[in-house]
């Protein structure tokens, strides 16, 4: 099973950017934890292969989603960052990719500014995990493997 983890703007700053909101865990820490979990969830009949991408540019995220679909990625874990609330183009790319997606946000977006309460992809993703910090990514991986794995 191939899962692509895609992170949007400013997530490269995890660990130093507003740690009171996003915590002190870095993106590299999250990726290492996901790689370890994927190894642990893999079986002789199902290997979980996780790849990672981060971009501060909307077009880079869209290109990665399209490339994942073309390369037969089975599912996505996506934290679109601020594009969650603004990007119809990312929404359209996800619809075109036609793959299961778990939307992840480190902070509880509903406990923050009103504009963060709206996700333009909430109605097209398989699930959403908000407010659980870095653990949200691990839960997303477990959910995808448990629900969509073979």
């Amino acid at each position: 099973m191939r899962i692509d983890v895609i992170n949007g703007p400013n997530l490269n700053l995890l660990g130093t950017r507003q740690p009171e909101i996003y915590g002190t865990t870095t993106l590299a820490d999250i990726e290492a934890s996901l790689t370890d979990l994927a190894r642990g969830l893999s079986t002789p009949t199902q290997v979980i292969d996780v790849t990672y991408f981060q971009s501060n540019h909307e077009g880079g995220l869209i290109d990665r989603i399209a490339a994942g679909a073309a390369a037969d990625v089975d599912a996505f874990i996506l934290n679109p960052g601020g594009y969650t609330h603004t990007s119809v183009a990312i929404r359209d790319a996800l619809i075109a990719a036609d793959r299961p997606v778990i939307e992840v946000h480190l902070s509880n977006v509903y406990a923050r500014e009103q504009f963060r309460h709206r996700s333009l992809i909430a109605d097209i993703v398989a699930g959403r995990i908000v407010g659980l910090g870095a653990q949200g990514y691990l839960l997303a991986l477990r959910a995808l493997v448990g629900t969509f794995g073979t």
Side-chain angles (χ1 to χ4, degrees):
M1 182 173 194
R2 297 178 61 202
I3 298 172
D4 201 9
V5 180
I6 301 175
N7 285 286
N10 299 312
L11 289 158
N12 56 307
L13 301 175
L14 287 179
T16 59
R17 176 182 173 235
Q18 294 179 284
E20 69 281 4
I21 294 174
Y22 300 108
T24 57
T25 303
T26 67
L27 190 56
D29 294 336
I30 292 169
E31 291 172 356
S33 294
L34 283 167
T35 297
D36 289 345
L37 179 59
R39 259 191 235 111
L41 294 174
S42 293
T43 67
T45 58
Q46 177 175 273
V47 174
I48 311 303
D49 178 32
V50 182
T51 54
Y52 306 99
F53 180 78
Q54 187 278 326
S55 179
N56 292 319
H57 305 282
E58 185 178 27
L61 301 174
I62 293 164
D63 289 345
R64 182 63 178 225
I65 293 164
D72 291 327
V73 164
D74 295 298
F76 296 102
I77 296 171
L78 174 63
N79 183 340
Y83 290 129
T84 303
H85 326 291
T86 64
S87 182
V88 172
I90 289 174
R91 176 191 172 86
D92 290 345
L94 292 171
I95 290 170
D98 194 28
R99 301 292 192 280
V101 179
I102 302 288
E103 179 184 352
V104 173
H105 296 282
L106 296 159
S107 67
N108 179 354
V109 294
Y110 301 105
R112 298 184 65 196
E113 304 93 338
Q114 185 67 33
F115 73 87
R116 295 187 194 276
H117 298 189
R118 181 170 178 228
S119 166
L120 294 183
I121 63 172
D123 63 320
I124 63 165
V125 297
R128 301 181 76 217
I129 301 171
V130 302
L132 299 179
Q135 284 294 319
Y137 286 87
L138 301 175
L139 293 169
L141 180 59
R142 287 183 182 281
L144 286 172
V145 171
T147 305
F148 301 103
T150 56

